[in-house]
Amino acid sequence: MSTVSVASTAPLRRFAGYRRPLLLTLGGWALCALVFAAQSHVAAAVRGQPLPWGGTLAAWSVWSGAWALLTPAMLWLARRLPVTRQDVWRALALHAAASAGSVLLHLALYAAAAPLVGAPGFTGDWSATYARLIGSAFLPSLAVYWVLLGAVQFLRLQQAVHERERRQLGLEAQLAEARLLALRSQLQPHFLFNTLNAIAVLTGDDPAAARHMLQLLCALLRKVLDKDASAEVTLREECDFITNFLEIEQIRFADRLSYRIDIPPQLLGARVPSLVLQPLVENALCHGLAPRARPGRIVVSARAEDGMLQLAVSDDGAGLSRHMRWGIGLSNTRARLQHMFGERQRFAIGARPGGGTVATLAIPLREGACASAP
């Protein structure tokens, strides 16, 4: 039984990928030639100056065929030089030059091929025909290039909208999963038991402290269970949540846990994914401080560098294990960052100088109000 190698089928696959755009290009320009030829034929008949149908169709076929030859190059250039807000004037200047060059080349091909098919009104003097076409058809022909550029720009923007919608749906699913993970990993029975037991003890010894701890627990539960929470919050809101969580965890660790939030005030308005720091703090507590008996410290810090917001959660605990694996919470955080920022993000866990562990992430520095997710 004969076999066909993968290498021998590769050109066929490449051709199949280009076949549909090629057929659309040829079909579109063929339709244009037919419509414009019919329009010219009817208009000439109305004026009492009838044109032969065959010659008129041949002339417009040559006109469309020349554009069909140039269309792949024009589409490639439109994709390579998109008109964006950051680079609008440079892109428009380059496209202005490209449109002029495309029209001049198109008219040159048209002037050379039209006499060969017997198109009416054309002579064998190419230079005279070319000069006449430049004078009469240069400016109208520019519209062809800019219509194609506009079509490509429209499709690119439409694709960007679909991509944002897809990412938004993914983020909503990720956020819902993050809330469930928060319930499973933080609000475990022993956590609630220790917190409520401490509140019960403080109720008799220090009622004011008991009320404060109850308020912290309510705030934590309200944040995790809020169905209308947005996919993004300000860094100030995220730090408030982490502070509540760490204050409650101090009940569990007693004097073995201390913490510090080291974030400059000018960064508190930065936008960050909701619950993005919680898995990092939970990881530091469970794998850094819990395995050992002596006191430990967690530091949550932030800084801005090169347009990026750098966040870090460090501990002076047991350090990285040789057999450390990415758990569900950390894997979820990495996936959310990838969904939201693509390649414009970094996330890593490594050894802290002097002992312990540090988890760092970097995202684009953005400020402003955070709208609620629909």
Side-chain angles (χ1 to χ4, degrees):
M1 181 173 58
S2 62
T3 59
V4 179
S5 66
V6 174
S8 65
T9 60
L12 296 176
R13 290 199 300 270
R14 286 196 295 268
F15 174 76
Y18 292 117
R19 182 173 57 186
R20 185 170 182 270
L22 179 62
L23 292 177
L24 287 175
T25 299
L26 294 177
W29 283 116
L31 180 61
C32 286
L34 185 61
V35 171
F36 290 151
Q39 182 184 20
S40 298
H41 185 73
V42 172
V46 170
R47 292 194 305 267
Q49 301 172 343
L51 294 173
W53 169 249
T56 304
L57 181 59
W60 281 108
S61 296
V62 170
W63 181 87
S64 295
W67 276 125
L69 289 175
L70 298 176
T71 296
M74 292 190 297
L75 292 178
W76 176 84
L77 190 60
R79 288 192 295 266
R80 288 297 301 269
L81 291 174
V83 181
T84 60
R85 183 180 303 175
Q86 296 81 3
D87 205 17
V88 58
W89 296 115
R90 175 178 175 272
L92 289 177
L94 291 174
H95 281 299
S99 64
S102 298
V103 169
L104 290 175
L105 182 55
H106 171 263
L107 295 179
L109 294 173
Y110 186 39
L116 300 179
V117 298
F122 288 86
T123 65
D125 188 350
W126 178 85
S127 59
T129 301
Y130 186 44
R132 179 168 57 85
L133 287 174
I134 291 177
S136 62
F138 180 81
L139 291 179
S141 296
L142 287 174
V144 175
Y145 182 95
W146 290 98
V147 166
L148 285 175
L149 176 63
V152 173
Q153 187 76 4
F154 173 77
L155 292 175
R156 188 183 70 84
L157 294 176
Q158 190 178 43
Q159 184 178 9
V161 169
H162 290 328
E163 180 65 18
R164 283 196 296 269
E165 291 176 351
R166 186 188 66 81
R167 287 192 176 187
Q168 182 64 33
L169 291 175
L171 286 174
E172 291 174 5
Q174 293 280 342
L175 183 59
E177 184 179 354
R179 294 195 190 104
L180 293 177
L181 287 172
L183 284 175
R184 288 197 295 264
S185 60
Q186 291 125 35
L187 307 183
Q188 297 174 1
H190 74 272
F191 173 83
L192 287 175
F193 174 80
N194 289 339
T195 303
L196 294 174
N197 184 62
I199 291 173
V201 172
L202 289 173
T203 299
D205 299 339
D206 190 347
R211 287 195 298 271
H212 176 62
M213 293 307 301
L214 187 58
Q215 290 172 353
L216 291 174
L217 181 59
C218 290
L220 187 69
L221 290 170
R222 188 180 301 112
K223 175 69 175 178
V224 174
L225 297 174
D226 185 5
K227 295 181 180 179
D228 296 325
S230 60
E232 289 185 324
V233 297
T234 63
L235 187 53
R236 184 191 306 275
E237 293 175 283
E238 187 72 7
C239 288
D240 289 343
F241 176 81
I242 292 300
T243 300
N244 289 344
F245 174 70
L246 285 171
E247 286 191 32
I248 293 176
E249 281 288 359
Q250 281 186 319
I251 300 171
R252 173 185 172 191
F253 286 87
D255 57 356
R256 290 198 299 124
L257 170 62
S258 62
Y259 68 89
R260 179 165 60 94
I261 307 295
D262 183 17
I263 296 178
Q266 62 269 24
L267 294 181
L268 291 175
R271 295 160 56 187
V272 298
S274 180
L275 300 177
V276 71
L277 291 177
Q278 180 276 322
L280 310 186
V281 173
E282 177 72 14
N283 190 68
L285 287 168
C286 293
H287 302 289
L289 303 187
R292 68 177 197 175
R294 62 178 183 273
R297 185 175 181 81
I298 290 177
V299 177
V300 179
S301 60
R303 62 189 177 93
E305 182 178 344
D306 297 330
M308 301 290 286
L309 176 64
Q310 314 272 352
L311 299 173
V313 175
S314 62
D315 66 79
D316 57 358
L320 287 174
S321 170
R322 182 178 302 177
H323 305 291
M324 174 190 168
R325 296 181 178 179
W326 286 68
I328 297 176
L330 296 180
S331 298
N332 178 269
T333 299
R334 180 167 58 180
R336 291 178 66 203
L337 294 176
Q338 182 66 35
H339 269 290
M340 293 186 70
F341 308 108
E343 297 301 320
R344 295 198 63 202
Q345 53 83 26
R346 296 190 301 275
F347 182 38
I349 296 180
R352 171 182 171 272
T357 307
V358 58
T360 60
L361 62 90
I363 59 176
L365 179 59
R366 301 162 303 136
E367 295 187 2
C370 301
S372 297

